[in-house]
Amino acid sequence: MRPVLRALLVCFLFTATITGCKLDPPVYPDTPATTVPEVDDGTDAPTDATYTIPIGAINTIAFQVDGGDINTLASATAIVTQPDATTPNGYTGISVDLTNPDATFRLNFRDITAGIKVNDLLAILYKDFNLTDDSGGTIKVTTFKKIGESYHIRGYFKVVAKDERDNTMHTVIGSFNIQQ
């Protein structure tokens, strides 16, 4: 009888050990979801004392180089890329391409929300300037709202950029107001 009890006890302990050693489910880090708010009436554009170029009319970009004249470019557009594997926070590109006056403007940043951002690219070809910069400034996005199928994006930027014509450095400050 003892060998039978011993075998049952071994089986019982073996079964208890196997069933008690379950693998815990994996624990993944919390990743906040990037969401774009659904509404914005587009009124009451915010102001900012740090960035001195006020936000202009809808679909304009205003900028100033080294404290000179304020230049306003109309017909500004934005391309918003939703988050994916290569850009986990999404990507925003603000641009103007004009033929009269001849002007090209690009301002890009890796995000689709309001807040302080690092710019990925600033490029301005306008009048006597051929300015470029790669990640050397900040962008303060004050509004990033979805309106139906379009977006309303407002904010400011300050970038130190190099003039490709003579390699001099220039401070560019400005604002943008895109609704499309």
Side-chain angles (χ1 to χ4, degrees), residues 9-51:
L9 182 61
V10 168
C11 285
F12 175 74
L13 289 176
F14 181 72
T15 304
T17 303
I18 295 293
T19 58
C21 295
K22 294 180 185 175
L23 291 176
D24 290 335
V27 178
Y28 299 109
D30 290 336
T31 309
T34 303
T35 58
V36 178
E38 292 296 326
V39 288
D40 178 23
D41 63 6
T43 60
D44 300 325
T47 58
D48 191 298
T50 304
Y51 303 90

Side-chain angles (χ1 to χ4, degrees), residues 18-171:
I18 295 293
T19 58
C21 295
K22 294 180 185 175
L23 291 176
D24 290 335
V27 178
Y28 299 109
D30 290 336
T31 309
T34 303
T35 58
V36 178
E38 292 296 326
V39 288
D40 178 23
D41 63 6
T43 60
D44 300 325
T47 58
D48 191 298
T50 304
Y51 303 90
T52 56
I53 306 300
I55 292 175
I58 290 176
N59 296 332
T60 62
I61 296 171
F63 68 94
Q64 182 181 53
V65 180
D66 293 334
D69 293 337
I70 296 175
N71 303 288
T72 302
L73 302 176
S75 303
T77 61
I79 296 174
V80 177
T81 304
Q82 294 299 314
D84 60 20
T86 57
T87 54
N89 293 329
Y91 198 82
T92 303
I94 297 172
S95 64
V96 171
D97 288 305
L98 298 174
T99 55
N100 189 16
D102 190 21
T104 301
F105 180 96
R106 302 277 185 275
L107 182 66
N108 300 337
F109 55 94
R110 293 179 191 271
D111 213 334
I112 60 168
T113 61
I116 303 291
K117 317 295 179 195
V118 174
N119 76 298
D120 280 347
L121 172 72
L122 171 76
I124 301 174
L125 181 59
Y126 183 69
K127 292 186 179 177
D128 295 332
F129 295 105
N130 184 3
L131 303 174
T132 59
D133 161 72
D134 289 326
S135 305
T138 58
I139 300 169
K140 181 177 183 180
V141 181
T142 57
T143 303
F144 203 115
K145 307 275 183 171
K146 188 167 186 180
I147 306 169
E149 294 300 314
S150 61
Y151 290 91
H152 193 171
I153 307 166
R154 292 187 286 219
Y156 306 93
F157 59 92
K158 183 176 184 178
V159 178
V160 176
K162 180 173 75 171
D163 193 327
E164 296 296 322
R165 297 175 190 180
D166 59 9
N167 290 329
T168 57
M169 301 304 284
H170 301 275
T171 300

